[in-house]
Amino acid sequence: MVKKLALVAICLAYPSAYAMAQDAKAVIASAQKALGDPKAITYSGSARDVSFQQCGANATQMNCQGTHDPMRPINNYVRVIDITAPTSRHTGGTNNIGAGGSTTVAPGTFFAQVTPQQADPSQPWANSLELYLTPWGFLKGAAEHNATVSRRRVDGRNYNVLTWSPAVKAPSGKSYTINGYVSDAGTVDRVETWLGENIMGDMHILATYSGWKDFGGGAMAPSKIVQTRGGWPFFEVDVTSARANPADAATLAPAPAPPAGRGGAPAGGPPPAGAAGGRGAAPAPPALTVTTEKLGDGLYRLTTGAGSYDSIVVEFKDYIMLLEAGQSEARALAYIAEAKKLVPNKPIRYVLNTHPHSDHTGGLPALVAEGSTIVTQKNNEVFFERALNTPRTLLTDTLARNPKKAKIEAVSQKKVYSDGTRTIELYHVSPVPHSNGLMVAYIPKEKILFQGDFSLPAPGQPGNDHVKALVPILEKLKLDFDRYINVHTSATPQTKAELWKAAGR
């Protein structure tokens, strides 16, 4: 009897699933028709982008105003999407600061692409999703991947929502999902997906398309494109012209020539920013060997050698404070183990984050799993609250295996941690170009200043604008320090005198 009931249930469910598939095909066909069913499309205008967890310092705005604020302007922006290949390329002109701590503004070229190989939905989702987030790429994927359809209301409008999954799986084994919101007029107004990211968890990626119109010759395109990641601004386009089935599609938005003496096209455009993206099995990184330098009683600097992101272990009467989380999960776990070895039987109650850039946050999920409270500048509070309390179903990292709610302790301008014997003073340093949420740690007993990203120049070279911005702030604070320790490890110990010299003092 039970078997018969199960068979009846399956038979009843099958027509429903079949009807949904049939309805989805009708919605796809209607949307493709509404968009003119092009084989390729190009559009141009102006754009803005930002590297994830960064501020887009540029010629018009040098100082960070907030998370992803400002964004970097991209002039003479052009994108071409070949639906049949499939492939996508976009390019434009920039006028931004350079890499590696430079604050010198220079002309440059934005370029990003999804190659036909990357567009294969069995390949890493992080590499292909920029194609499938477009209305045309989404519909192609929906037609080829047994999309289903449902009805939803968003922002006061009713939509047919098409849903499909690429063949590639997330590291957790879970399927990725991509949804496209098709209006009753047939336009694709929203496309969303999720990608595993070490700080953002199941990071929500949303592209919205508005102001749809015929730009001439049947070229239906949106006038405004906005992409957010984790709810934060990431990429925007104001479209001023579009063409359907351009005869010169193959030569539009070409990759810039590589720098002299180097092969390959330069990377560019919206990066996945540490996203896991369903990569195949990668070789395990070499094991990290932690070296300890004793700075004082219950005070230790942890490093893994050249290229390290150093942390400081501070012992208090009842707990440990870790200054910085070690850049990656692997280094964070190594530092946690070393801290427990150096100071046994005390919890790591606090971990200081000097600022919220991705190379300074990668180890934080491991500390959240440890139960530590993140101490950060108040301007970063909302970012961390959102990011670290997002589900992590696409990941297999320490926090995904041991989920805990992130605890955030925000500092406005100054905060002192003390137990009568050990004291740590934290200060917000502002204004500086790099971030509006930067803090330094001052350890008065040993006269140490600990900071992130205010790196000293090579001998004989002047300090950059970051260093020159820091020194007047420290002068005003009147901090009496001798040792100058950077999160980015230095080959030899550095001093206040070297910092002052680099700033021209």
Side-chain angles (χ1 to χ4, degrees):
M1 183 63 180
V2 173
K3 288 184 178 180
K4 287 183 179 179
L5 288 173
L7 181 61
V8 169
I10 291 171
C11 291
L12 290 173
Y14 179 78
S16 176
Y18 178 77
M20 287 180 67
Q22 289 298 102
D23 288 346
K25 289 180 180 179
V27 172
I28 293 166
S30 176
Q32 288 173 330
K33 182 178 179 181
L35 301 191
D37 200 16
K39 304 302 179 188
I41 190 160
T42 180
Y43 51 86
S44 58
S46 61
R48 291 159 297 284
D49 84 329
V50 65
S51 294
F52 196 71
Q53 287 182 242
Q54 297 277 342
C55 294
N58 59 79
T60 59
Q61 177 56 267
M62 286 297 296
N63 283 350
C64 180
Q65 304 299 304
T67 304
H68 292 191
D69 180 15
M71 298 179 78
R72 303 172 297 201
I74 302 171
N75 300 315
N76 302 314
Y77 174 82
V78 178
R79 184 169 192 176
V80 59
I81 301 166
D82 186 334
I83 299 105
T84 57
T87 187
S88 164
R89 299 183 303 277
H90 45 164
T91 189
T94 61
N95 200 22
N96 305 325
I97 64 169
S102 167
T103 52
T104 301
V105 174
T109 301
F110 164 90
F111 176 75
Q113 67 176 336
V114 179
T115 67
Q117 292 76 24
Q118 292 170 330
D120 181 345
S122 67
Q123 297 303 306
W125 190 227
N127 294 337
S128 60
L129 65 82
E130 283 291 344
L131 171 67
Y132 295 109
L133 279 175
T134 71
W136 308 274
F138 173 80
L139 291 173
K140 176 182 174 65
E144 296 174 353
H145 291 86
N146 299 315
T148 59
V149 67
S150 60
R151 191 74 172 164
R152 298 186 202 173
R153 188 171 179 82
V154 179
D155 295 335
R157 297 188 66 186
N158 293 320
Y159 289 98
N160 289 311
V161 182
L162 294 165
T163 300
W164 58 274
S165 295
V168 67
K169 303 289 186 184
S172 66
K174 183 178 177 180
S175 293
Y176 292 108
T177 298
I178 182 166
N179 299 321
Y181 293 70
V182 182
S183 72
D184 290 342
T187 57
V188 181
D189 293 354
R190 299 163 58 95
V191 183
E192 65 181 352
T193 189
W194 289 261
L195 189 67
E197 204 276 334
N198 71 322
I199 190 70
M200 296 298 297
D202 294 351
M203 180 170 64
H204 184 224
I205 303 176
L206 171 66
T208 59
Y209 303 92
S210 59
W212 282 92
K213 68 177 186 178
D214 188 338
F215 281 87
M220 284 292 295
S223 300
K224 183 75 173 182
I225 301 170
V226 175
Q227 184 187 142
T228 60
R229 294 199 172 197
W232 299 103
F234 186 68
F235 196 78
E236 299 179 2
V237 185
D238 291 311
V239 179
T240 56
S241 65
R243 288 186 291 142
N245 303 314
D248 56 347
T251 58
L252 285 170
R262 294 176 61 185
R279 293 184 178 93
L288 293 169
T289 301
V290 179
T291 301
T292 302
E293 176 190 4
K294 186 171 183 178
L295 302 171
D297 292 337
L299 190 69
Y300 307 90
R301 180 178 70 95
L302 306 182
T303 186
T304 58
S308 174
Y309 285 69
D310 294 352
S311 295
I312 292 181
V313 175
V314 185
E315 181 183 6
F316 287 84
K317 181 180 178 181
D318 299 319
Y319 62 88
I320 299 168
M321 174 181 277
L322 192 64
L323 306 184
E324 277 278 316
Q327 179 257 345
S328 66
E329 180 186 36
R331 190 176 280 108
L333 292 173
Y335 284 175
I336 289 169
E338 188 67 18
K340 290 180 176 180
K341 188 188 303 181
L342 292 166
V343 187
N345 304 317
K346 290 185 182 181
I348 304 175
R349 184 176 296 175
Y350 299 106
V351 56
L352 167 69
N353 169 253
T354 60
H355 61 296
H357 292 174
S358 58
D359 59 330
H360 291 262
T361 61
L364 289 177
L367 271 300
V368 173
E370 187 70 20
S372 307
T373 295
I374 298 170
V375 180
T376 190
Q377 207 280 321
K378 191 169 183 62
N379 289 333
N380 312 322
E381 184 177 15
V382 173
F383 174 80
F384 284 124
E385 287 279 5
R386 285 189 196 173
L388 288 165
N389 291 314
T390 302
R392 303 176 79 82
T393 65
L394 300 172
L395 299 170
T396 59
D397 66 355
T398 304
L399 187 54
R401 297 192 302 270
N402 183 25
K404 287 186 180 178
K405 181 176 174 59
K407 296 175 288 185
I408 313 295
E409 195 160 294
V411 176
S412 179
Q413 296 303 318
K414 177 183 177 180
K415 189 172 180 67
V416 177
Y417 293 82
S418 181
D419 62 2
T421 301
R422 169 60 65 195
T423 297
I424 298 290
E425 300 176 12
L426 306 180
Y427 295 92
H428 179 210
V429 290
S430 177
V432 294
H434 200 52
S435 168
N436 72 331
L438 265 159
M439 287 200 303
V440 297
Y442 173 55
I443 309 173
K445 185 177 180 180
E446 285 78 12
K447 295 186 175 183
I448 291 171
L449 187 82
F450 180 75
Q451 49 72 36
D453 284 7
F454 294 101
S455 301
L456 294 184
Q461 297 297 313
N464 61 25
D465 289 344
H466 303 294
V467 169
K468 291 176 181 177
L470 175 64
V471 168
I473 297 170
L474 297 179
E475 288 178 324
K476 187 176 180 180
L477 291 172
K478 294 181 170 57
L479 301 181
D480 181 22
F481 67 96
D482 296 323
R483 182 79 180 269
Y484 183 71
I485 298 179
N486 195 350
V487 175
H488 297 266
T489 195
S490 57
T492 57
Q494 296 179 332
T495 65
K496 176 182 179 180
E498 290 176 280
L499 170 63
W500 252 238
K501 183 178 179 181
R505 290 296 198 267

